[in-house]
Amino acid sequence: MPALTPDDVHTATETLSRLTEYLRDTPDPGEALALVEPLLDEYTGIPVQLGDTLRALARAVLDHPDTPRTPDLHMLVAELRDAAWEQSDQHALHYALDDLRTLLTIATSNTPEYCQCR
């Protein structure tokens, strides 16, 4: 795998910013859901990925031989690990998307077709 750069990660955050701006322009709900679904995927979505990333950062810092072994370090690593669990716990947000899709589908199917009644 090629080495990542801060620019690579910045590109990902810029994409999220663009998505947010797009969603603020009130797009079609179906299109909006389709764009957000990958972000909240149960296995590969942002909550899971960010949790894994924070745990990997904590491990990288702890495992590096030049990292000073201080109580402050262990406290900060514990904070990273706690934040990782909190992020990972958000993986269930995909259920909210499923429920929202169902609700929108029901609402669309119950909307009467336009007709010209006399």
Side-chain angles (χ1 to χ4, degrees):
M1 172 184 232
L4 288 174
T5 67
D7 286 340
D8 294 329
V9 177
H10 186 69
T11 299
T13 60
E14 282 180 0
T15 300
L16 284 174
S17 293
R18 287 179 47 219
L19 173 60
T20 301
E21 289 301 317
Y22 175 77
L23 293 173
R24 286 182 179 145
D25 288 338
T26 60
D28 174 76
E31 290 176 22
L33 281 171
L35 291 170
V36 172
E37 280 178 316
L39 299 178
L40 296 178
D41 182 83
E42 181 177 13
Y43 302 106
T44 60
I46 287 178
V48 173
Q49 294 294 330
L50 184 54
D52 288 349
T53 299
L54 292 173
R55 280 187 283 280
L57 173 60
R59 187 172 37 258
V61 168
L62 271 181
D63 290 350
H64 196 276
D66 293 337
T67 300
R69 305 293 184 230
T70 66
D72 286 341
L73 169 75
H74 292 286
M75 183 181 69
L76 292 170
V77 166
E79 283 185 43
L80 285 173
R81 288 179 172 157
D82 288 344
W85 281 111
E86 289 174 17
Q87 290 301 312
S88 296
D89 285 345
Q90 298 301 315
H91 78 280
L93 285 170
H94 74 279
Y95 292 121
L97 290 184
D98 292 342
D99 293 344
L100 184 57
R101 183 182 310 96
T102 300
L103 180 73
L104 291 171
T105 301
I106 291 169
T108 302
S109 65
N110 288 338
T111 303
E113 295 294 320
Y114 177 80
C115 68
Q116 294 181 350
C117 301
R118 293 183 191 226

